[in-house]
Amino acid sequence: MITGRMQVEWQGALARHFGSDLNLLLQQFGAEVVHAEELTRLVSRRQRKAVFKLKLADGRLLKARRFRTGQEVVLAAALAPLLDGRHYSRVLANLGTSTLEEWRSGTVLAAEAVTTGHARKAGELLGRLHMTTGLPGPEAAPVLMVAEHLGLMQEHLAALLEQGVLASSDAASLLELALGTMPAHFEAGLIHGDFCIENMVVSSSGELVLIDNESMCVGPLDFDIARAWCRWPMTTAARAGFVTGYTQFRGLESFTPHCQFWAIRALLMSVYVHLKHERPCQPAVTALKRLAAGAESGYWASLAQVER
């Protein structure tokens, strides 16, 4: 039951986050919102992003999303036609910093429920995504160079040092490891940016569906693998299944010698973002400390031993 107070609350939240843009977008669908539920994660005083599940008067469900910038929205809309509708929730309409997306129902893929088959299919999806062609040009989808990624790592390390998250010895070891495994160049393409089970559901037909694709952009393919594996700790069997699926489309020859550089980049980014939102991210901090101590060398080096 939706009480009058609850209705006022969600209506106020939609107005606060989306202004008039959402109403203008909804006019394209010829229906009004009868209920909204906020799904935004990492909420803080600095939050500019927002995500809501909308129920329309005719029973349809949509997802309303507010991005940080209009440029991000334009890119998300440009990438939508390139995505396979069976496996991705896509942008349907956009205006300003707001989008309306498909709502994809399904069962959230919990860590304990992941099978080798799920992992293999996930690897296939990421491998296929990385081989996407017809991407927007650099004006719409600029790509950072290796030196710029290193600069961001140093910026994030400085912030973590200042906040007392890492000791200076750990920061020095991480920077040394990053410099020793830094690639001279990398292969760029369409990357997901947050490929993990938190952003997946299993549909009623058994398909894996990516339901949160706001971080999708053009960038280093090897970073995307590292980001996925940092966000999604897999069992040995699941990792092997993932690699089997992924390597149907792209090999790991460029990733393996530089995986620690990309792992440090991904972990530092996670901790830095959580720090900005005043939320702890202890698993990523622990992983960084283990990398700094050399305890994770086997974890990443084992990738080269997985059979193709």
Side-chain angles (χ1 to χ4, degrees):
M1 177 178 179
I2 303 174
T3 66
R5 179 180 175 182
M6 289 174 62
Q7 185 172 16
V8 169
E9 286 179 353
W10 63 252
Q11 287 178 333
L14 290 180
R16 183 170 64 255
H17 286 293
F18 298 98
S20 61
D21 286 354
L22 184 58
N23 288 331
L24 293 172
L25 287 173
L26 286 167
Q27 288 177 13
Q28 301 180 36
F29 293 83
E32 64 175 335
V33 178
V34 295
H35 183 55
E37 175 186 356
E38 185 167 10
L39 307 175
T40 313
R41 294 183 294 182
L42 288 178
V43 178
S44 76
R45 293 190 300 271
R46 299 184 180 93
Q47 182 68 33
R48 297 187 64 190
K49 300 189 296 181
V51 185
F52 283 79
K53 177 182 180 181
L54 307 181
K55 181 178 181 181
L56 305 187
D58 59 10
R60 284 179 294 173
L61 298 175
L62 294 174
K63 182 181 289 185
R65 187 187 302 277
R66 180 191 176 192
F67 287 74
R68 285 182 293 257
T69 68
Q71 183 180 7
E72 291 174 320
V73 172
V74 171
L75 179 59
L79 295 177
L82 305 178
L83 304 179
D84 185 338
R86 294 174 300 167
H87 301 291
Y88 294 91
S89 171
R90 298 176 298 184
V91 172
L92 300 173
N94 63 283
L95 179 66
T97 57
S98 304
T99 62
L100 283 176
E101 302 174 16
E102 300 169 311
W103 179 266
R104 303 298 297 273
S105 299
T107 304
V108 177
L109 187 58
E112 61 273 13
V114 173
T115 66
T116 302
H118 287 141
R120 178 169 181 160
K121 184 61 181 180
E124 291 177 12
L125 289 179
L126 192 62
R128 192 185 298 273
L129 186 76
H130 285 175
M131 294 295 97
T132 302
T133 58
L135 301 179
E139 299 81 10
V143 179
L144 298 179
M145 299 294 100
V146 175
E148 292 173 296
H149 283 282
L150 179 62
L152 286 171
M153 292 167 69
Q154 293 172 311
E155 177 185 327
H156 295 168
L157 275 172
L160 270 54
L161 272 173
E162 182 180 351
Q163 295 295 320
V165 176
L166 289 177
S168 58
S169 58
D170 286 335
S173 295
L174 287 169
L175 183 57
E176 181 180 2
L177 180 58
L179 289 170
T181 58
M182 183 171 66
H185 51 79
F186 57 77
E187 183 181 0
L190 182 56
I191 65 174
H192 187 271
D194 206 11
F195 194 88
C196 63
I197 53 176
E198 290 181 22
N199 294 326
M200 296 180 188
V201 299
V202 181
S203 70
S204 56
S205 62
E207 297 277 17
L208 277 186
V209 182
L210 276 293
I211 57 172
D212 190 350
N213 306 301
E214 69 165 323
S215 299
M216 200 172 282
C217 63
V218 179
L221 302 183
D222 291 335
F223 164 79
D224 211 24
I225 300 173
R227 167 75 174 163
W229 287 350
C230 290
R231 291 276 284 116
W232 182 1
M234 300 181 189
T235 64
T236 300
R239 177 67 61 79
F242 186 98
V243 170
T244 298
Y246 184 86
T247 52
Q248 292 182 51
F249 300 92
R250 178 177 178 263
L252 294 176
E253 293 82 4
S254 67
F255 175 73
T256 302
H258 308 296
C259 58
Q260 289 178 319
F261 175 87
W262 295 117
I264 294 169
R265 170 78 172 97
L267 289 166
L268 284 173
M269 186 178 74
S270 290
V271 178
Y272 179 76
V273 169
H274 280 76
L275 192 65
K276 285 179 63 178
H277 288 84
E278 301 168 356
R279 298 280 189 91
C281 189
Q282 195 55 46
V285 174
T286 300
L288 281 169
K289 290 180 178 179
R290 288 180 59 81
L291 278 168
E296 293 292 354
S297 58
Y299 178 84
W300 293 100
S302 65
L303 301 181
Q305 305 305 315
V306 177
E307 293 184 5
R308 293 286 300 275

